Amino acid sequence: ATIDLSKDAAARAAVALVENGMKLGLGTGSTAKIFVDRLAERVHDEGMDLRCASTSKATADQARKLGLVVEELDDLGWLDLTIDGADEVDPDLNLIKGGGAAHLREKIVATASDRMVVVADQGKVVECLGKFKLPVEVIPFGWKSTRTHIERALAELEMEGRPIILRERDGNPVLTDESNLILDLALEEIRDPHGLARQLSSIAGVVEHGLFLNICSLAIIGRPDGSVVELL
Ligand code: DER
């Protein structure tokens, strides 16, 4: 499909950013998966020496099966570069992430890196964040009261009444790698992402939200013809 051609173009361009000896953060999602596939090809072709930290169990499994060295983030310390996908990218390179329920570890790994680069297809580029539902990771204990606090926070930001949906799969709540729940906020437009991030982060049961602000320094946007556009 053309979208996979776009993701592959972005992934291959990101592989070119990786230098031998780097400590690398590996993202989660379908685009990050293609990146890990392409990275493993290069590592084997060139005999590169890389140490990787993963943003999810799924990516760790994929990378190890491909022969990449995956270690605990704490054993690697600070990383040189993290490559990850995004659900939305705005003109300031602010992101919505969490479509794959991995945004907590993704944000920890991304912010433990000197540089975070996004790989994405053109469909992820938006003028204003919010069309994609904003994922918020909450602990299961008292999650309904946490939801009430989120409703109140949205009302304060004049976004009252926007739907807050418990993410489920096959009728069961989706659990993150930390066995937490995901609430998806159907906000449509987020005019003040920094204000919303501050509000959400101040709520007791909220673990982390999917707004990545001032974290990404380059977005590689792939196109079906194999070319890329770099947003920075
Ligand atoms: O869940 C995530 O944060 C993923 O990186 C997501 O944002 C992008 O997933 P995709 O590459 O499958 O669209």
Side-chain angles (χ1 to χ4, degrees):
T2 56
I3 200 165
D4 287 339
L5 290 173
S6 302
K7 292 180 178 184
D8 191 52
R12 278 186 284 106
V15 167
L17 297 177
V18 178
E19 294 166 17
N20 194 33
M22 264 191 176
K23 292 191 283 186
L24 194 63
L26 305 179
T28 295
S30 63
T31 312
K33 186 178 181 305
I34 298 171
F35 167 75
V36 170
D37 284 341
R38 291 292 189 187
L39 175 69
E41 286 171 7
R42 182 179 168 208
V43 166
H44 293 308
D45 291 350
E46 299 180 13
M48 292 178 82
D49 170 27
L50 289 184
R51 300 172 72 191
C52 301
S54 177
T55 56
S56 65
K57 295 172 185 172
T59 295
D61 289 348
Q62 176 203 359
R64 289 191 174 111
K65 283 193 182 100
L66 293 167
L68 293 173
V69 175
V70 179
E71 300 178 52
E72 291 304 315
L73 176 60
D74 285 343
D75 295 338
L76 288 178
W78 211 255
L79 307 177
D80 299 294
L81 172 65
T82 286
I83 308 285
D84 201 347
D87 295 296
E88 286 186 339
V89 184
D90 82 359
D92 298 321
L93 295 187
N94 288 325
L95 315 174
I96 284 185
K97 284 177 62 51
H103 66 273
L104 172 59
R105 293 193 181 191
E106 288 173 332
K107 196 178 281 188
I108 292 169
V109 170
T111 53
S113 308
D114 286 338
R115 192 182 182 202
M116 188 253 191
V117 172
V118 157
V119 285
D121 59 271
Q122 299 140 295
K124 306 297 182 56
V125 179
V126 299
E127 269 308 305
C128 180
L129 298 175
K131 187 73 70 198
F132 188 90
K133 294 187 190 68
L134 176 63
V136 178
E137 179 161 342
V138 301
I139 69 159
F141 177 82
W143 75 271
K144 291 183 181 177
S145 63
T146 300
R147 181 178 55 189
T148 301
H149 288 299
I150 295 173
E151 285 164 358
R152 290 178 184 170
L154 294 182
E156 277 182 47
L157 292 164
E158 296 170 23
M159 291 197 275
E160 62 273 14
R162 309 285 170 87
I164 300 174
I165 302 128
L166 176 67
R167 190 181 298 184
E168 296 184 325
R169 185 178 299 125
D170 306 327
N172 299 308
V174 167
L175 295 181
T176 67
D177 279 353
E178 314 303 324
S179 299
N180 289 324
L181 303 174
I182 297 276
L183 297 179
D184 288 308
L185 278 50
L187 302 176
E188 286 305 317
E189 271 193 355
I190 301 171
R191 287 275 160 228
D192 176 13
H194 292 270
L196 177 59
R198 273 194 304 276
Q199 285 269 15
L200 292 173
S201 298
S202 70
I203 297 169
V206 168
V207 175
E208 189 54 67
H209 54 76
L211 288 168
F212 281 51
L213 309 178
N214 305 325
I215 295 177
C216 169
S217 56
L218 169 68
I220 300 175
I221 308 301
R223 302 197 292 198
D225 65 0
S227 65
V228 297
V229 170
E230 293 192 351
L231 306 178
L232 61 162

